[in-house]
Amino acid sequence: MERTVRVRVYATLREIVGGTAIDISLEEGARVRDLVQEMTTRWPELGALMLDECSELSRRVHVFIDGRSARHLPDHSDTVLPVSAEIEIFPAIAGGC
């Protein structure tokens, strides 16, 4: 069964996807990696930002599920997306002197 998830995107990602929020259709039980795969298929230019050389979630992007970074969840990119999850994706920001 397929469902639609709403994903909020920030900064330079907005320019690529054409807005502040996007709707992505995913199968029930979809994981973070499935979401990223769908997004990079739909917007190929996201691939360089979201995936590393091994096609894993890159450190250049932060995926938050209900306010928690996927990197800090027990299953990382294999975390199943809850039905009512709030999903936000930020590019990494560097700064300083």
Side-chain angles (χ1 to χ4, degrees), residues 67-82:
R68 296 184 63 206
S69 173
R71 280 192 189 85
H72 301 293
L73 296 172
D75 295 322
H76 309 285
S77 60
D78 284 324
T79 298
V80 174
L81 297 168

Side-chain angles (χ1 to χ4, degrees), residues 10-87:
Y10 296 89
T12 55
L13 301 177
R14 289 179 172 176
E15 297 169 16
I16 295 171
V17 303
T20 60
I22 54 173
D23 293 325
I24 302 287
S25 294
L26 296 169
E27 294 294 322
E28 288 292 330
R31 302 165 297 160
V32 171
R33 75 173 57 251
D34 300 321
L35 169 67
V36 172
Q37 179 62 46
E38 182 60 31
M39 290 178 67
T40 58
T41 298
R42 197 162 159 187
W43 295 281
E45 54 271 44
L46 287 177
L49 294 170
M50 298 185 79
L51 300 172
D52 66 15
E53 60 278 348
C54 297
S55 295
E56 293 295 326
L57 189 59
S58 171
R59 292 203 161 280
R60 293 180 301 243
V61 70
H62 300 282
V63 178
F64 285 84
I65 310 302
D66 292 330
R68 296 184 63 206
S69 173
R71 280 192 189 85
H72 301 293
L73 296 172
D75 295 322
H76 309 285
S77 60
D78 284 324
T79 298
V80 174
L81 297 168
V83 172
S84 61
E86 183 176 308
I87 304 167

